């Protein structure tokens, strides 16, 4: 269908607006753009609730349902707010709706749903979907989806969509049987499922902040211990001061380790997004399959009609058949004409089925080749990622061992600072520079940001600390001094990009 | 018993009066030359006898005798071992309380036997501490764990609380046992050996309420008066204590904060392993490495848990006790000041008043001696305390370092085993190039 004249809804970012204000603006804009549905009714996804129940495989699950409220725009003359019609739906039902729209209007750009975050039925891992923030964001996303559909010139007049909003037992579930693909390629179905699982697992991994290294905490602690103590205990001070110098260098190297952890996180993220791409392929397969099945179904029904017409028996219920019964039989000429039409349609239908079949096969073949390629790449890349993660952990442990061994020597009054710090590790400028009196705020910014621990300390402790100027300045020097070496590091990272391997 | 010299002199000072004014008397009157002979050869501090024997007449020489060779305080010269363990709950009609088993093993002759086992409750420890402080107001008594922890919802009878307290009580008794003077007091001996009935009756023997009140009143009066000519060394001490107190407090807070953060990190780490395990179930080729990684993360999590616990159980309590020590030091300095203030007041009084001059002069002399005694006691114990403190803190830091090294070594092994497993796999399959 040609563009019916509705322009893209342009929501220009007005940075002065609050999120709720811009949401309202969007709604108004959508309503203004001459859509049928939104002119008649207000739609909102008002609330979210947790439910528990038994699922398809008879296992207990917890899920979230959302309240869809609809209210006619024209309020009754009394002026009171009418009670909205409402019904509860869960995310999977929204998915059904969208799938239905996708296959029914394949030529349209169907609005997207918010993130799914696959619900794991058989593993009770801290279900992300239960996180209140996530649920809230999803609620807003679902509401947005409904409003977008309702403001679409074509989609808004879809009856299934209307019943989705208003009838608790919409025909969607029944239709589900018909528009769901009957014989998807098993491999694609499995791949889609795998994509869901992969996405879920990686999201969880990324969320766990444990990527923050324990080394940072330990190192920070010793740094603090040292600067405190050497201030008052001259006897012990020397040993601790040496340990402290070494800690400084260690702190800098820990920063490098943390960057590596970020790199690991990036590698995971890449496959998180890859999972999406994978699912898109599976969906496309379903679409082609579905179209084939529709064509087959259509052909079958036409053939059946031909048979009935030819033999005069009515097997299928049709309105036309009824009316002809009521209002008299058709003339033989009419029958002839109809038969001829059907024949043509059947011929065309058979052509279409052949076409679609070929499309399907072609798609399956080429898609699966690429899926296999992807699998290999993924296995290789992720294995590499795990290995480099292990290497990073090892490097961190080795550094920890070295540092703490040295600290122990220092505490025991054995070694001096020069004995301990190897040239590789030493990044501290030992000369002290004249303090140009920068205030604490500027100083705080200069501290390697991973040492945020010291920044988060309550003010009174920080004040009590009064780090010796030399230590403060060493940090500044280090931060500046790292820039040239950063270039070197960046080069290193590029070499590790799997795409170039 | 030749050993009884120790007891008699010191205990008479202890049990007869709360006010240590009289200690100087009997001790200065030591005339058992034989014992003197024996003890003066013995320079080890552990049995305390050298302290008593070498007490000559002049305060000056007393200073020297307080300088004990701390380095000799090794296990093989220790002749008394005290442990506190086995907490048990007791329920009576009125209250519920915990008792701890105190086991003493000793070769000291003043003890009737070589092994003792008694049960003591916190109140008993409090009593002992109080007695020691009364008898030696300017010596430094190691702090006891606090009566009740205010922060958080720590129950009095939670396992953690009891265990922390038990450890602190153990350290307390050991510090007393290691102290040259305290460890030879009658009160300490009775604490270690007496059955509960005996202990209760001995407790009642102490200075009466009124005399203690009198002492407190005196102290307050002295405090109000203030010290006029405090010797520089004590002023220096006071400044040190101020600085020390500040630093040790912030150190304590900081390490507590560190433990808290590490615990948070640990909680997050605990979630990691299971996620990798879950992932491995969706994978084919990757299943095995992922499972191994899950195992590695789980093991590291366990190590981290132990490490955090170690830090919490070993470093924090030591720092915390020295925070309390700072308060003890301040109190000790205050008490010394009070004695001096008392002396100064009496000196003034002697100069101004006419009546009772002889009695007053006597009193003044006694007070002067008391002051000298207190000053010297403090100076020596101060040096001793500092050595012990440095030792304790150094040990605690070294211990922390060692436990960290061990922690990292274990984690290192875990990850290296993973790498190894991947290497052998890869080499078998000819997949990955590890160069």
């Amino acid at each position: 269908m040609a563009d019916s004249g509705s322009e893209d809804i342009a929501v220009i970012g007005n940075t002065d607006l609050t999120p709720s204000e811009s949401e309202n603006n969007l709604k108004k804009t959508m309503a203004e753009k001459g859509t049928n549905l939104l002119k008649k009714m207000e739609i909102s996804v008002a609330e979210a609730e947790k439910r528990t129940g038994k699922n398809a495989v008879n296992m207990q699950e917890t899920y979230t349902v959302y309240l869809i409220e609809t209210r006619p725009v024209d309020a009754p003359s009394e002026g009171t707010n009418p009670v909205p019609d409402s019904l509860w739906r869960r995310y999977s039902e929204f998915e059904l709706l969208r799938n239905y729209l996708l296959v029914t209007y394949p030529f349209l750009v169907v609005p997207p749903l918010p993130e799914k975050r696959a619900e794991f039925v058989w593993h009770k891992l801290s279900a992300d979907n239960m996180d209140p923030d996530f649920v809230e964001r999803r609620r807003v996303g679902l509401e947005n989806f409904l409003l977008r559909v309702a403001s679409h010139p074509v989609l808004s007049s879809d009856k299934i969509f209307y019943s989705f909003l208003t009838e608790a037992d919409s025909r969607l579930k029944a239709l589900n049987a018909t528009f769901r693909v009957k014989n998807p390629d098993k491999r694609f179905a499995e791949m889609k499922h795998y994509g869901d699982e992969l996405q879920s697992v990686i999201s969880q991994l990324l969320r766990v902040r444990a990527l923050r290294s324990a080394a940072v905490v330990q190192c920070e602690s010793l740094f603090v211990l040292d600067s405190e103590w050497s201030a008052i205990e001259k006897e012990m001070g020397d040993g601790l001061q040496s340990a402290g110098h070494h800690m400084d260098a260690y702190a800098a190297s820990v920063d490098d380790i943390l960057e590596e952890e970020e790199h690991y996180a990036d590698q995971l993220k890449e496959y998180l997004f890859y999972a999406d791409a994978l699912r898109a392929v599976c969906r496309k397969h379903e679409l082609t399959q579905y179209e084939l099945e529709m064509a087959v179904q259509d052909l079958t029904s036409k053939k059946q009609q031909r048979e009935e017409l030819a033999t005069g028996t009515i097997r299928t219920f049709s309105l036309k058949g009824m009316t002809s019964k009521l209002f008299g039989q058709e003339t033989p000429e009419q029958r002839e004409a109809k038969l001829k039409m059907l024949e043509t349609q059947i011929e065309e239908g058979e052509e279409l089925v052949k076409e679609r079949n070929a499309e399907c096969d072609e798609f399956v073949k080429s898609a699966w080749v690429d899926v296999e390629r992807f699998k290999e790449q993924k296995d290789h890349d992720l294995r590499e990622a795990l290995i480099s993660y292990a290497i990073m952990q090892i490097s961190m442990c080795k550094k920890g061992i070295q540092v703490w061994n040295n600290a122990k020597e220092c505490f025991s009054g054995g070694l001096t600072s020069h004995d301990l710090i190897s040239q590789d590790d030493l990044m501290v400028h030992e000369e002290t520079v004249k303090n140009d009196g920068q205030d604490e705020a500027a100083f705080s910014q200069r501290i390697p940001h991973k040492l945020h621990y010291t920044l988060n300390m309550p003010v009174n402790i920080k004040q009590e600390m009064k780090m010796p100027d030399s230590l403060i300045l060493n940090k500044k020097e280090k931060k500046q001094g790292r820039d040239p070496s950063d270039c070197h590091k960046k080069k290193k990272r590029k070499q590790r990009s799997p795409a170039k391997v | 018993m030749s050993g009884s010299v120790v007891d008699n002199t010191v205990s008479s000072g202890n049990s007869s009066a709360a006010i240590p004014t009289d200690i100087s008397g009997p001790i200065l009157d030591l005339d058992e030359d034989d014992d003197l002979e024996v003890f003066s050869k013995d320079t080890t501090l552990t049995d305390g006898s050298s302290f008593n024997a070498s007490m000559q007449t002049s305060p000056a020489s007393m200073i020297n005798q307080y300088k004990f060779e701390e380095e000799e305080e090794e296990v093989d010269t220790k002749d008394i071992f005290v442990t506190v363990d086995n907490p048990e709950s007791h329920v009576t009609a009125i209250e519920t309380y915990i008792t701890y088993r105190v086991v003493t093993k000793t070769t000291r002759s003043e003890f009737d036997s070589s092994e003792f086992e008694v049960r003591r409750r916190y109140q008993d420890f409090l009593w002992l501490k109080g007695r020691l402080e009364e008898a030696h107001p300017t010596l430094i008594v190691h702090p006891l764990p606090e009566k009740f922890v205010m922060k958080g919802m720590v129950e009095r009878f939670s396992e953690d609380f009891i265990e922390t307290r038990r450890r602190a009580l153990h350290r307390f008794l050991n510090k007393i046992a290691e102290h040259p003077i305290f460890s030879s007091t009658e009160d300490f001996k009775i604490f270690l050996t007496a059955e509960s009935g005996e202990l209760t009756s001995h407790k009642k023997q102490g200075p009466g309420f009124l005399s203690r009140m009198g002492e407190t009143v005196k102290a307050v009066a002295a405090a109000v008066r203030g010290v006029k000519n405090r010797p520089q060394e004590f002023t220096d001490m006071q400044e040190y204590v101020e600085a020390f107190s500040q630093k040790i407090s912030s150190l304590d807070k900081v390490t507590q904060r560190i433990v808290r953060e590490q615990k948070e990190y640990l909680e997050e780490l605990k979630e990691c392993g299971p996620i990798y395990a879950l992932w491995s179930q969706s994978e084919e080729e990757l299943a095995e490495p992922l499972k191994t990684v899950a195992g590695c993360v789980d093991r590291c999590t366990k190590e981290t848990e132990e490490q955090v616990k170690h830090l919490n159980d070993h470093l924090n309590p030591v720092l915390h006790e020295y925070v309390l020590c700072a308060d003890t030091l301040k109190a000790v300095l205050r008490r010394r000041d009070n004695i001096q203030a008392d002396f100064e007041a009496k000196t003034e009084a002697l100069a101004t008043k006419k009546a009772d001059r002889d009695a007053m002069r006597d009193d003044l002399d006694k007070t002067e001696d008391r002051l000298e005694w207190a000053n010297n006691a403090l100076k020596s114990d101060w040096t001793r305390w500092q050595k012990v403190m440095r030792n304790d803190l150094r040990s605690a830091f070294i211990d922390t370092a060692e436990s960290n090294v061990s922690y990292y070594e274990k984690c290192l092994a875990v990850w290296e085993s993973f790498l190894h497993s991947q290497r052998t796999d890869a080499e078998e399959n000819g997949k990955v190039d590890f160069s």
Side-chain angles (χ1 to χ4, degrees), chain B residues 184-353:
Chain B
S184 34
T185 61
E186 181 71 11
D187 288 316
F188 184 55
K189 175 163 166 256
I190 291 191
F191 179 90
L192 292 178
T193 61
E195 294 301 319
S196 342
E198 264 186 75
L199 181 62
T200 319
S201 59
H202 177 80
K203 277 188 186 181
K204 292 195 178 127
Q205 274 177 40
F209 175 69
L210 284 176
S211 64
R212 265 182 292 176
M213 269 297 286
E215 191 55 24
T216 314
V217 168
K218 258 192 171 183
V220 168
V224 165
R225 242 177 282 139
V227 157
K228 299 220 175 81
N229 294 307
R230 189 195 290 132
Q232 186 56 35
E233 56 192 327
F234 295 115
T235 305
D236 290 343
M237 256 186 225
Q238 188 159 64
E239 279 170 16
Y240 176 91
V241 169
E242 276 304 311
F244 176 82
S245 169
Q246 266 189 353
K247 297 300 179 183
I248 195 79
S249 294
S250 70
L251 209 56
D252 176 49
K253 278 189 210 128
V254 154
T255 44
Q256 280 185 35
R257 174 75 182 254
I258 288 168
V259 167
R260 248 196 327 270
E261 284 202 357
Q262 291 205 306
K263 282 185 175 163
E264 281 172 22
Y265 166 73
L266 183 63
E267 286 310 305
E268 290 172 356
L269 197 58
K270 280 186 181 161
E271 297 182 32
C272 248
I275 296 175
Y276 281 107
L278 181 64
W279 188 358
S280 75
Q281 291 177 2
S282 324
E283 296 284 347
E284 296 158 358
E285 281 288 318
L286 283 179
E288 186 268 319
L290 281 172
K291 233 188 279 175
T292 317
V293 166
C296 290
V297 173
D298 281 339
R299 264 146 62 209
C300 283
T301 306
K302 230 179 271 161
E303 296 300 338
T304 307
E305 203 165 17
E306 279 186 30
Q307 170 60 5
V308 171
K309 187 167 188 300
H310 183 94
L311 209 66
N312 199 29
D313 291 345
H314 290 85
L315 183 60
N316 277 16
V318 171
L319 290 176
H320 191 66
E321 272 171 23
Y322 277 100
V323 170
L324 298 176
C325 259
D327 289 336
T328 308
L329 292 173
K330 287 181 192 163
V332 163
L333 285 173
R334 252 199 321 273
R335 290 199 281 262
R336 192 220 67 85
D337 276 356
N338 290 347
I339 298 176
Q340 181 166 343
D342 190 36
F343 170 71
E344 285 172 353
K346 287 182 179 156
T347 313
E348 251 184 65
L350 192 66
T352 53
K353 291 215 183 120

Side-chain angles (χ1 to χ4, degrees), chain A residues 120 123 125 194 197-198 201 204-205 208-210 212 214-215 217-218 221 224-225 228-229 232-233 235-236 250 264 268 378-379 382-384 386-387 389-391 393-394 397-398 400-401 404-405 408 411-412 453 456-458 461 464-465, chain B residues 240 243-244 246-248 250-251 253-255 257-258 261-262 265 268-269 271-272 275-276 278-279 281-283 285-286 289-290 293 307 389-390 393-394 397-398 400-402 404-405 407-409 411-412 415-416 418-419 422 425 432 434:
Chain A
F120 266 13
H123 291 289
L125 257 195
Y194 169 77
E197 287 181 342
L198 185 68
V201 153
Q204 287 177 59
L205 269 180
V208 176
R209 272 182 63 247
R212 177 173 176 267
V217 178
Q218 295 268 27
S221 69
V224 171
L225 282 177
E228 281 299 300
W229 208 249
I232 55 164
E233 277 288 325
E235 265 190 39
M236 294 177 72
Y250 180 52
Y264 176 69
L268 290 181
K378 167 199 53 111
D379 285 343
L382 290 177
R383 192 200 194 104
E384 288 290 301
L386 290 175
I387 286 171
Y389 182 73
I391 290 175
Q393 295 289 338
I394 286 171
C397 287
K398 282 189 175 157
I401 291 172
W404 285 99
N405 265 330
K408 180 178 150 191
F411 290 147
S412 316
Y453 164 73
N456 291 342
M457 263 198 290
I461 292 182
E464 281 179 317
M465 270 184 59
Chain B
Y240 176 91
F244 176 82
Q246 266 189 353
K247 297 300 179 183
I248 195 79
S250 70
L251 209 56
K253 278 189 210 128
V254 154
T255 44
R257 174 75 182 254
I258 288 168
E261 284 202 357
Q262 291 205 306
Y265 166 73
E268 290 172 356
L269 197 58
E271 297 182 32
C272 248
I275 296 175
Y276 281 107
L278 181 64
W279 188 358
Q281 291 177 2
S282 324
E283 296 284 347
E285 281 288 318
L286 283 179
L290 281 172
V293 166
Q307 170 60 5
M389 176 269 290
R390 288 187 188 121
L393 290 175
R394 187 179 278 128
F397 289 158
I398 291 176
T400 304
E402 281 176 348
N404 274 323
V405 169
Y407 162 72
Y408 282 117
E409 281 176 345
C411 289
L412 178 67
W415 288 107
E416 281 189 330
F418 168 74
L419 264 195
Q422 296 309 300
D425 268 358
V432 187
F434 276 99

Side-chain angles (χ1 to χ4, degrees), chain A residues 3 36 99 142 169 198 204 242 251 262 277 337 353 377 379 492:
Chain A
D3 179 28
N36 300 331
N99 279 346
L142 290 173
D169 199 15
L198 185 68
Q204 287 177 59
S242 328
E262 293 287 354
V353 167
Q377 175 197 297
D379 285 343
K492 259 168 71 178

Side-chain angles (χ1 to χ4, degrees), chain B residues 4-14 23 26-27 30 32 52:
Chain B
S4 65
V5 173
V6 176
D7 281 346
N8 287 344
T9 50
V10 183
S11 62
S12 58
N14 272 344
I23 288 180
I27 288 175
L30 246 184
E32 277 132 300
N52 284 309

